[in-house]
């Protein structure tokens, strides 16, 4: 990096540096996720990662910051491919849970492992720094959810 660029970057506020870093990390991870060897769409991978336990579709929609109709279409595709099943919720027989099959759990484990490796490569953070970043990122996400999801993300 040239001295001129270094000096200009040094004049930016910590908030701007944080935003630039998050944006660059997001961009790099989005680019890297394309190299994961799977026949699943980005949305299907995202759903498998979020299905760490059986969940109702409404809960999953909130977790994924999307609308229920998107969840239904994605769940239909994953169910048809054998990655998940729908089971009645034992706490409310009117509701259904999405539950990973063995194939789905295997795919999820591969995705979580690969995503972790991609994150470490892209971010350059060690395990302790990653834990600290995760704690701060959760705080940011919780605040955004509390104050309102940007309208464009829920359509």
């Amino acid at each position: 990096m040239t001295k001129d660029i270094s000096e200009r970057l040094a004049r930016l506020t910590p908030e701007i540096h944080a935003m630039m870093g998050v944006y660059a990390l997001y961009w790099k991870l989005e680019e890297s996720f394309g190299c994961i060897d799977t026949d699943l769409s980005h949305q299907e991978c995202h759903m498998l990662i979020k299905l760490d336990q059986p969940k109702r579709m409404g809960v999953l929609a909130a977790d994924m910051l999307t609308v229920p109709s998107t969840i239904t279409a994605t769940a239909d595709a994953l169910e048809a491919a054998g990655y998940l099943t729908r089971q009645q919720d034992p706490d409310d027989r009117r509701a259904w849970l999405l539950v990973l099959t063995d194939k789905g759990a295997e795919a999820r484990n591969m995705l979580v492992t690969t995503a972790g490796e991609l994150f470490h490569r892209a971010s350059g953070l060690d395990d302790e720094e990653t834990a600290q970043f995760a704690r701060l990122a959760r705080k940011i996400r919780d605040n955004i959810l509390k104050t309102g999801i940007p309208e464009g993300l829920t359509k």
Side-chain angles (χ1 to χ4, degrees):
M1 187 177 332
T2 67
K3 184 179 176 186
D4 184 45
I5 293 172
S6 255
E7 288 174 0
R8 282 187 300 185
L9 288 175
R11 291 190 298 262
L12 298 175
T13 66
E15 294 83 2
I16 298 300
H17 280 286
M19 287 186 277
M20 290 171 59
V22 167
Y23 179 75
L25 178 62
Y26 176 81
W27 172 78
K28 186 64 175 176
L29 289 174
E30 278 295 307
E31 174 188 88
S32 299
F33 267 92
C35 74
I36 295 177
D37 187 24
T38 179
D39 59 342
L40 300 169
S41 71
H42 183 80
Q43 187 74 8
E44 290 167 343
C45 289
H46 191 190
M47 182 178 282
L48 287 179
I49 288 171
K50 291 288 189 173
L51 275 172
D52 57 329
Q53 62 185 26
K55 290 183 182 175
R56 289 185 185 186
M57 286 196 272
V59 170
L60 199 54
D63 283 354
M64 293 176 62
L65 305 177
T66 193
V67 293
S69 59
T70 299
I71 298 302
T72 301
T74 304
D76 288 347
L78 287 170
E79 185 175 31
Y83 289 97
L84 61 82
T85 62
R86 288 176 169 92
Q87 296 178 4
Q88 259 187 331
D89 186 337
D91 298 328
D92 181 352
R93 292 181 8 177
R94 297 168 298 169
W96 293 88
L97 297 172
L98 297 180
V99 180
L100 292 178
T101 61
D102 289 342
K103 179 181 178 180
E106 185 178 309
R108 181 185 184 279
N109 289 338
M110 182 275 297
L111 288 168
V112 168
T113 299
T114 304
E117 292 166 356
L118 291 173
F119 177 85
H120 281 286
R121 267 198 310 267
S123 70
L125 300 177
D126 63 27
D127 290 342
E128 184 179 324
E129 291 166 328
T130 298
Q132 182 179 11
F133 181 79
R135 199 171 52 257
L136 293 170
R138 266 192 309 274
K139 183 176 180 178
I140 292 166
R141 184 180 192 276
D142 290 347
N143 186 63
I144 289 169
L145 292 176
K146 186 171 47 178
T147 59
I149 300 168
E151 190 173 315
L153 293 179
T154 59
K155 290 187 176 177

